Amino acid sequence: GNNNLATGDTATIPGGNGNTASGDYSFVAGGTNNIAGGDYSFVAGSYMQLSAAADRSFAFGYSVTPVAITQPDSFIIYNSDLG
């Protein structure tokens, strides 16, 4: 990947672009401009952004603008085309 930053303890980003895994044991599966800020968090897709407060959360989705998720223990499947 390109421009990815994994700073959390054992945080992992196997690919994608512009992703950040800052939570401890967090995982960004790939995609673009995602943030896994919570400890033990998982994120994939585009612009899914888990804050540092979103511990143990899962987010998968697509958006062209940032989608902020701040609640811990969340499970989110998101599509910006649904309305």
Side-chain angles (χ1 to χ4, degrees):
N2 295 312
N3 303 313
N4 294 317
L5 181 63
T7 59
D9 187 27
T10 69
T12 304
I13 306 172
N17 184 55
N19 297 303
T20 301
S22 55
D24 290 345
Y25 310 100
S26 61
F27 186 85
V28 178
T32 305
N33 298 310
N34 295 301
I35 298 173
D39 294 347
Y40 304 96
S41 60
F42 175 97
V43 68
S46 179
Y47 287 98
M48 299 293 103
Q49 301 189 350
L50 295 170
S51 75
D55 294 339
R56 302 168 306 277
S57 292
F58 175 99
F60 176 82
Y62 171 81
S63 180
V64 295
T65 59
V67 176
I69 299 150
T70 59
Q71 291 294 109
D73 302 308
S74 297
F75 182 88
I76 296 175
I77 307 293
Y78 181 89
N79 185 333
S80 64
D81 291 334
L82 297 177

